[in-house]
Amino acid sequence: MAEPDAPDRPAPPPETYEAIMQATYRAFCKHGYADLTTREIAEEFAKSRSLLHYHYDTKQELIVALLDYLLESHPAKAATDEIADPDERLELFIDRGLFGPQEAAFDFWDFHTALLELRLHAHRNDAYREQLDRTIGLITDLLAETIREGIEKGRFHDVDPEETAQFLYDAIDAARIRKITLGHDDAPRRTKHAIETFVLPTLRASDDDR
Amino acid sequence: MAEPDAPDRPAPPPETYEAIMQATYRAFCKHGYADLTTREIAEEFAKSRSLLHYHYDTKQELIVALLDYLLESHPAKAATDEIADPDERLELFIDRGLFGPQEAAFDFWDFHTALLELRLHAHRNDAYREQLDRTIGLITDLLAETIREGIEKGRFHDVDPEETAQFLYDAIDAARIRKITLGHDDAPRRTKHAIETFVLPTLRASDDDR
């Protein structure tokens, strides 16, 4: 089992770090969380198994590091840099959350299936719970920041940005969970429509309000 | 492992059925899904283990039967009989879904934790997926029926009843999942507020519309 505090091992150089994280990501998508071992991760890693273990000792350390790694390139972060208009940016957040990135992402649903498995384990594992809480918190913070910006620019009504961000995140999350667990393939599309019916019109200030 | 089709075993008499389902419920709440065996269920059952196995052969049969049993006494069903006003009934649906029944239900969160575990297994188990789909479908049907009734009575705007019901169910579900997996104890309260901000005002017809 993993130590609560990671031992002092040298941080991998950037190229090795990238290769280890990509291997962890592939193994996580392929095997899910519960059935995953460091052996499967090592199998996806082109370099030596001992190099992997030189930097990471346990599956838990690798998964916690993977969540940090993925957060760095999260679409919500990219959208903040790419799109100046908060309303357009919010729509992109919603679309990417429900349908995945625009480029063919064959692994989007495999990843979310494995992530759901991990989240269930988080119930009894402090390291995972804290990391997932931090990760989801950073994504909803970006969403809340966009909503706050929209309010300041007079584009959105004066709602609670954090609560609204969390509500949108939850709606997207629940649609993904229904698609994964119950096979409701139309869940993302119908949730998009419900968000357009209930959330966006309430959020958007009409021209009269500006 | 369970047979795909249950063998022909005699249906238990009502009293035995009730006792077996109560034992299954207690064991499911106590042990969760993955760690549960028929041994644990038998331990909660006051009568003999052989009587249990006379009627149910596997854990899967017991869990599928439990979901049917619980649906019979689901609060959404009771609310339909109790409350004539569709708007009041909708509020009760939302409150019971987020906060549990009014009477002290110490097992509400244990049950939903075990259910989430089961839902994850449904991903790869047809019998569970079909039963969970049916169960959630019947609950959202009751919600949709209430919304449809509200539209017919001029209390609600002319929204899509099924889509709205599913959106509300998802919002409630996501709040429960965050409370269970991430320890967000304020999730149900904040989701209630978000529903009151975004969904209910859009849904409710103002007096002018009637």
Side-chain angles (χ1 to χ4, degrees), chain A residues 53-133:
Chain A
H53 285 300
Y54 180 69
H55 295 294
Y56 298 94
D57 207 28
T58 63
K59 164 177 157 179
Q60 179 173 303
E61 281 173 42
L62 282 157
I63 296 288
V64 168
L66 175 66
L67 292 177
D68 273 331
Y69 170 79
L70 291 175
L71 199 59
E72 277 309 304
S73 58
H74 194 278
K77 256 192 164 160
T80 308
D81 300 331
E82 282 165 30
I83 301 176
D85 181 66
D87 199 348
E88 266 180 57
R89 201 190 309 146
L90 189 67
E91 288 234 40
L92 189 76
F93 276 153
I94 294 165
D95 281 346
R96 287 196 179 167
L98 285 170
F99 306 108
Q102 270 185 306
E103 56 274 29
F106 65 95
D107 47 7
F108 182 75
W109 293 105
D110 289 337
F111 172 70
H112 277 286
T113 305
L115 193 62
L116 185 58
E117 233 187 295
L118 179 67
R119 285 165 64 183
L120 199 65
H121 284 265
H123 172 58
R124 291 198 185 91
N125 178 312
D126 290 346
Y128 289 140
R129 193 174 57 250
E130 281 163 23
Q131 178 68 330
L132 284 167
D133 201 18

Side-chain angles (χ1 to χ4, degrees), chain B:
Chain B
M1 293 304 295
E3 297 94 330
D5 294 300
D8 283 335
R9 261 196 301 278
E15 203 188 320
T16 308
Y17 169 70
E18 182 73 25
I20 292 177
M21 290 300 104
Q22 286 292 332
T24 307
Y25 180 75
R26 282 193 301 272
F28 185 63
C29 290
K30 199 186 277 184
H31 302 281
Y33 170 74
D35 293 339
L36 186 67
T37 65
T38 54
R39 176 184 296 269
E40 269 100 24
I41 297 170
E43 272 169 20
E44 298 287 333
F45 183 54
K47 300 178 186 180
S48 79
R49 189 168 176 178
S50 61
L51 179 61
L52 181 80
H53 285 300
Y54 180 70
H55 295 294
Y56 298 94
D57 206 28
T58 63
K59 165 177 156 179
Q60 178 173 303
E61 282 174 40
L62 282 157
I63 296 288
V64 168
L66 175 66
L67 292 176
D68 273 330
Y69 169 79
L70 291 174
L71 199 60
E72 276 310 304
S73 58
H74 194 279
K77 256 193 164 159
T80 307
D81 300 331
E82 280 166 31
I83 301 175
D85 182 67
D87 199 348
E88 265 180 58
R89 201 192 307 149
L90 189 67
E91 288 235 38
L92 189 76
F93 275 154
I94 295 164
D95 281 346
R96 288 195 179 167
L98 285 169
F99 306 108
Q102 269 185 306
E103 57 273 28
F106 64 95
D107 47 6
F108 182 75
W109 293 105
D110 289 337
F111 172 70
H112 277 286
T113 306
L115 192 62
L116 185 59
E117 232 186 295
L118 179 66
R119 284 166 63 183
L120 200 65
H121 284 265
H123 172 58
R124 290 198 185 93
N125 178 312
D126 291 344
Y128 288 140
R129 193 174 59 249
E130 280 163 23
Q131 178 68 330
L132 283 166
D133 200 19
R134 207 177 70 82
T135 308
I136 293 174
L138 284 167
I139 297 166
T140 50
D141 281 353
L142 286 169
L143 255 171
E145 199 43 61
T146 295
I147 293 166
R148 190 173 296 113
E149 204 184 310
I151 295 169
E152 279 162 15
K153 288 186 176 169
R155 300 290 303 274
F156 295 153
H157 281 291
D158 190 17
V159 296
D160 178 331
E162 278 75 26
E163 183 184 280
T164 306
Q166 190 69 67
F167 190 60
L168 280 169
Y169 182 89
D170 277 358
I172 292 167
D173 195 36
R176 286 193 299 236
I177 292 175
R178 276 198 295 121
K179 181 172 153 77
I180 290 167
T181 59
L182 299 178
H184 289 185
D185 286 334
D186 65 342
R189 189 185 54 76
R190 297 201 75 176
T191 294
K192 173 80 192 280
H193 191 256
I195 289 173
E196 285 170 343
T197 304
F198 292 105
V199 185
L200 298 183
T202 306
L203 194 59
R204 283 176 184 145
S206 69
D207 287 334
D208 305 343
D209 299 331
R210 287 188 209 171

Side-chain angles (χ1 to χ4, degrees), chain A residues 136-157:
Chain A
I136 293 174
L138 283 167
I139 298 166
T140 51
D141 281 354
L142 286 169
L143 255 172
E145 199 42 62
T146 295
I147 293 167
R148 190 173 297 112
E149 205 185 308
I151 295 169
E152 279 161 15
K153 289 186 176 169
R155 300 289 303 273
F156 295 152
H157 282 290

Side-chain angles (χ1 to χ4, degrees), chain A residues 10-32:
Chain A
E15 202 189 320
T16 308
Y17 168 71
E18 181 72 24
I20 292 177
M21 289 299 106
Q22 285 293 332
T24 307
Y25 179 75
R26 282 193 300 274
F28 185 63
C29 289
K30 200 186 275 186
H31 302 281

